[in-house]
C-alpha cells in the first residue's frame, strides 16, 4: 500500500494585522517532510503509523506556521498550488493523508481547508480515499465533510494527542483501502463560540463532551468521534464548536450521535464562560503567594491563538509592583538586537514590546543588565511537539530589578519547559512566570505550577468577544447572542 502525504497548517486570526505569506510560513518539500518522523505532531503521527503498518509514503509538501493574519489569494494559490502539483506528480496512490488545521481562512476562501481538499478530490477522483487530520481548534464545516472520506481531530487541548489522532486516521484509511470499512460522516454545529481558555480538555465542559465521544467509540457505535472547540477569532460562518462522527457505512447513526453531542454541548454552554482578573490584582496576588511558581496567564496575548507576543500589560505591572524572581518572554527583535549589541554584563536602555499593533499595550521603557545571549534554538521536551526543534531567533535575557525579560526575535509559544531552560532559566525555581497562552502552557508547566491566575490582559486573544467586530460569523451564536433557543434538527426515520 502507498499513501501520499502532505498538508498546510495555519490557524488564521482574521483580526490580526500580522501578514501571512509564503515567507512567514516554514515549508518543507519531498523528503524534508521526513524530519517530522517521531515528533508528536500530525505529520509525525502520519509518518510513524505508515512505517509501522508497512505502508509506503510519498511525502509531497508541508507548510506549518504560527497563527497570524489572513493570507491573500496569491499566497493561498502558491501554497495550495505547490501541494496539488506535488500530489499530482506522486500519483497513483492507494490513499491520501492531508494534515491540515481546520481554522485556516484565505482571501476568497473562508474555509480554506475545504477548498484544498476539494481540489485534491478533483485531482485524484472519487476512487482514491482521502483522510484529513485537523486541530482541535478547527472550525468544522459541511464542505470539508463532503470533500473527503474521513476526518480525525485532536481530542486534547493542550494538543498532546496530535500524533495519536493522525495514527488513527492512517489506520482507518488503510482499512478503507482494504475494503474492511466504508466511512460515513456527519457533522453537527451547535451555535457556540467559546474562547480557547474554556476549552481545556482535562476539565469540564470539554472533558464531559470528549468522555461522551469516547464512550461512543468504545461501545463500537462509531469508528471515530470528536468534538472540536473551534477557533473564535476566525470571522467565518462556521466558526465555533463542531461535533464530528465517523461511522462504518451508517450515515444515520453518524447524524444521531453528532446531534447528541451537539445537544450536550449546548446544554453545557453556561460552563464555557470564563472570568479573568485585572492585571494589577493578579500581579499583587502572585507576589503575595509564599511559594511559586505562580503562573500569570496572559490570555489576551495568547501567541498560539494569533496574538503578537509583545504584549506589555503584565510586564509593566510586574515592574511597577517591584516583583522578584519573575520571568516574562517578549517577542521584540529590536530590543533583542540592542541588548545583544551591548553584550552580557552591560547596562542597556530599551523600549520593550507593544510595537506590532495598538492592541497589546504600550512599549515599556526599562533600564536593565544583559544576563545572557543565545541563538534562540531549542528542542521541545513535550508533551506537545516533543522532539521538534524551535527557533526564537537571536535572544537576550535582560534583568530589570527582579524581573527577567527574555527578549526573542520571533514570537514563541509557551508550554514547554525547554524554552526557558534554553536561556539558563529553571522554571521550577522561579516565583512568577508570565505565559502568553490560554491553555497550551499547561502542557509543560502544569506539573510544576503551584498556582495559576488567568488575567484579563488586552490583545487579540481577549476573552471578551464583544471587543471584536464580527461580519461573516453565523448568527445567532452564543455568547455574542446570549438569549435564544436551539436544538438539533430532528432526523426523520432514526
Ligand atoms: Zn489548536
Amino acid at each position: 500500500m502507498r499513501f501520499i502525504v502532505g498538508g498546510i497548517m495555519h490557524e488564521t486570526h482574521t483580526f490580526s494585522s500580522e501578514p501571512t505569506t509564503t515567507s512567514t510560513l516554514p515549508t518543507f518539500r519531498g523528503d524534508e517532510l521526513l524530519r517530522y518522523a517521531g515528533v508528536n505532531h500530525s505529520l509525525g503521527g502520519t509518518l510513524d503509523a505508515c512505517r509501522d503498518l508497512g505502508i509506503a509514503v510519498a511525502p509531497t509538501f508541508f507548510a506549518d506556521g504560527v497563527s497570524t493574519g489572513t493570507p491573500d489569494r496569491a499566497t493561498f494559490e502558491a501554497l495550495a498550488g505547490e501541494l496539488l502539483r506535488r500530489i499530482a506528480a506522486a500519483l497513483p496512490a492507494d490513499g491520501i493523508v492531508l494534515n491540515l488545521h481546520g481554522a485556516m481562512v484565505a482571501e476568497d476562501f473562508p474555509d480554506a481547508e475545504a477548498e484544498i481538499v476539494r481540489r485534491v478530490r478533483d485531482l485524484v477522483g472519487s476512487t482514491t480515499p482521502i483522510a484529513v487530520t485537523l486541530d482541535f481548534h478547527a472550525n468544522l464545516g459541511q464542505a470539508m465533510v463532503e470533500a473527503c472520506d474521513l476526518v480525525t481531530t485532536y481530542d486534547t487541548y493542550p494538543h498532546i494527542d496530535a500524533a495519536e489522532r493522525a495514527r488513527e486516521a492512517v489506520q482507518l484509511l488503510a482499512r478503507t483501502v482494504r475494503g474492511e470499512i466504508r466511512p460515513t460522516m456527519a457533522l453537527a454545529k451547535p451555535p457556540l463560540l467559546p474562547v480557547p481558555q474554556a476549552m481545556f480538555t482535562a476539565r469540564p465542559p470539554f472533558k464531559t463532551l470528549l468522555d461522551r465521544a469516547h464512550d461512543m467509540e468504545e461501545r463500537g457505535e462509531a469508528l471515530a468521534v470528536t468534538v472540536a472547540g473551534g477557533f473564535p477569532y476566525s470571522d467565518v460562518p462556521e466558526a465555533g464548536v463542531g461535533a464530528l462522527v465517523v461511522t462504518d457505512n451508517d450515515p444515520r447513526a453518524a447524524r444521531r450521535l453528532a446531534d447528541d453531542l451537539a445537544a450536550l454541548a449546548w446544554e453545557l454552554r453556561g460552563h464555557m464562560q470564563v472570568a479573568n482578573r485585572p492585571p494589577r490584582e493578579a500581579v499583587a496576588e502572585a507576589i503575595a503567594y509564599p511559594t511559586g511558581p505562580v503562573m500569570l496567564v496572559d490570555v489576551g496575548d495568547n501567541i498560539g491563538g494569533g496574538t503578537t507576543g509583545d504584549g506589555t500589560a503584565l510586564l509593566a505591572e510586574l515592574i511597577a509592583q517591584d516583583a522578584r524572581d519573575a520571568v516574562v518572554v517578549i517577542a521584540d527583535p529590536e530590543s533583542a538586537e540592542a541588548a545583544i549589541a551591548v553584550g552580557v554584563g552591560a547596562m542597556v536602555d530599551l523600549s520593550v514590546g507593544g510595537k506590532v499593533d495598538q492592541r497589546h499595550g504600550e512599549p515599556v521603557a526599562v533600564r536593565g543588565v544583559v544576563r545572557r545571549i543565545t541563538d534562540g534554538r531549542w528542542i521541545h521536551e513535550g508533551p506537545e511537539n516533543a522532539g521538534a526543534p524551535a527557533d526564537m531567533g537571536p535572544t537576550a535575557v535582560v534583568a530589570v530589578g527582579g524581573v527577567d525579560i527574555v527578549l526573542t526575535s520571533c514570537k514563541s509559544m509557551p508550554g514547554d519547559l525547554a524554552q526557558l531552560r534554553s536561556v539558563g532559566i529553571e522554571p521550577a525555581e522561579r516565583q512568577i512566570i508570565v505565559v502568553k497562552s490560554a491553555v497550551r502552557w499547561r502542557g509543560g508547566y502544569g506539573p510544576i505550577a503551584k498556582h495559576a491566575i488567568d488575567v484579563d490582559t488586552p490583545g487579540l486573544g481577549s476573552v471578551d468577544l464583544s471587543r471584536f467586530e464580527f461580519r461573516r460569523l453565523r448568527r445567532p451564536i452564543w455568547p455574542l447572542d446570549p438569549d435564544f433557543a436551539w436544538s438539533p434538527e430532528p432526523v426523520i426515520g432514526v
Side-chain angles (χ1 to χ4, degrees), residues 92-109:
D94 299 293
I96 315 280
V97 185
L98 297 174
N99 302 125
L100 307 173
H101 185 284
M104 183 176 183
V105 181
E107 184 187 14
D108 300 331
F109 300 112

Side-chain angles (χ1 to χ4, degrees), residues 91-450:
L91 286 169
D94 299 293
I96 315 280
V97 185
L98 297 174
N99 302 125
L100 307 173
H101 185 284
M104 183 176 183
V105 181
E107 184 187 14
D108 300 331
F109 300 112
D111 188 345
E113 284 95 347
E115 178 63 22
I116 292 166
V117 180
R118 235 185 332 247
R119 291 182 186 188
V120 175
R121 174 60 79 205
D122 285 349
L123 178 69
V124 304
S126 58
T127 50
T128 306
I130 302 172
V132 173
T133 69
L134 298 175
D135 189 279
F136 172 76
H137 295 108
N139 289 323
L140 292 165
Q142 190 58 30
M144 169 63 80
V145 170
E146 279 161 20
C148 66
D149 293 274
L150 66 99
V151 176
T152 65
T153 303
Y154 313 155
D155 292 339
T156 55
Y157 178 37
H159 306 318
I160 56 176
D161 67 340
E164 210 182 308
R165 296 282 74 74
R167 182 175 286 276
E168 189 180 11
V170 170
Q171 287 164 345
L172 291 172
L173 185 63
R175 291 175 65 193
T176 306
V177 171
R178 287 197 297 262
E180 294 169 13
I181 55 170
R182 188 169 171 274
T184 43
M185 283 190 283
L187 169 68
K189 292 289 288 186
L192 293 171
L193 192 72
V195 294
Q197 195 189 320
M199 299 179 198
F200 180 34
T201 52
R203 281 190 200 149
F206 274 87
K207 182 177 189 309
T208 313
L209 287 161
L210 289 157
D211 284 351
R212 178 73 70 91
H214 293 141
D215 279 352
M216 293 170 177
E217 289 175 349
E218 276 156 29
R219 285 202 301 264
E221 295 178 296
L223 296 169
V225 183
T226 198
V227 181
F231 184 62
Y233 309 106
S234 287
D235 181 15
V236 292
E238 303 299 347
V241 174
L244 181 69
V245 177
V246 187
T247 52
D248 185 8
N249 200 18
D250 192 346
R252 282 186 172 178
R255 175 84 265 142
R256 176 173 51 79
L257 296 171
D259 285 345
D260 282 358
L261 284 165
L264 178 61
W266 179 251
E267 257 170 56
L268 294 171
R269 67 192 181 283
H271 302 282
M272 295 179 190
Q273 241 142 3
V274 298
N276 295 349
R277 307 281 300 280
R280 184 169 299 172
E281 277 177 43
V283 167
E285 188 183 328
I287 290 171
Y289 274 118
T291 54
V294 182
M295 311 304 297
L296 284 176
V297 186
D298 191 348
V299 178
D301 193 8
N302 169 18
I303 295 171
T307 65
T308 58
D310 75 340
T312 54
L314 287 169
L315 171 66
E317 203 52 51
L318 287 166
I319 292 173
Q321 296 191 34
D322 197 23
R324 301 280 110 189
D325 226 8
V327 185
V328 191
V329 180
I330 303 264
D332 183 342
E334 256 174 55
S335 295
E337 192 185 338
I340 291 165
V342 300
V344 172
M347 291 288 287
V348 65
D349 290 299
L350 300 168
S351 171
V352 173
K355 291 170 186 161
V356 176
D357 66 18
Q358 305 299 310
R359 301 181 84 140
H360 297 80
E362 296 286 310
V364 177
V366 301
R367 166 167 288 191
V369 181
V370 181
R371 295 276 188 222
R372 182 125 179 178
I373 293 169
T374 76
D375 65 4
R377 298 211 174 102
W378 49 278
I379 304 287
H380 285 80
E381 292 173 14
E384 225 176 301
N385 287 318
D391 188 354
M392 312 189 287
T395 294
V397 182
V398 174
V400 178
V403 182
D404 281 345
I405 310 173
V406 181
L407 295 164
T408 65
S409 295
C410 322
K411 54 185 182 177
S412 169
M413 289 188 272
D416 198 302
L417 301 182
Q419 183 194 38
L420 291 183
R421 285 178 178 154
S422 76
V423 294
I425 293 172
E426 179 48 48
E429 293 168 2
R430 293 305 175 112
Q431 171 68 15
I432 299 174
I433 301 171
V434 174
V435 276
K436 293 182 172 296
S437 166
V439 168
R440 191 183 196 274
W441 67 270
R442 293 179 185 275
Y445 289 97
I448 66 157
K450 292 277 195 307

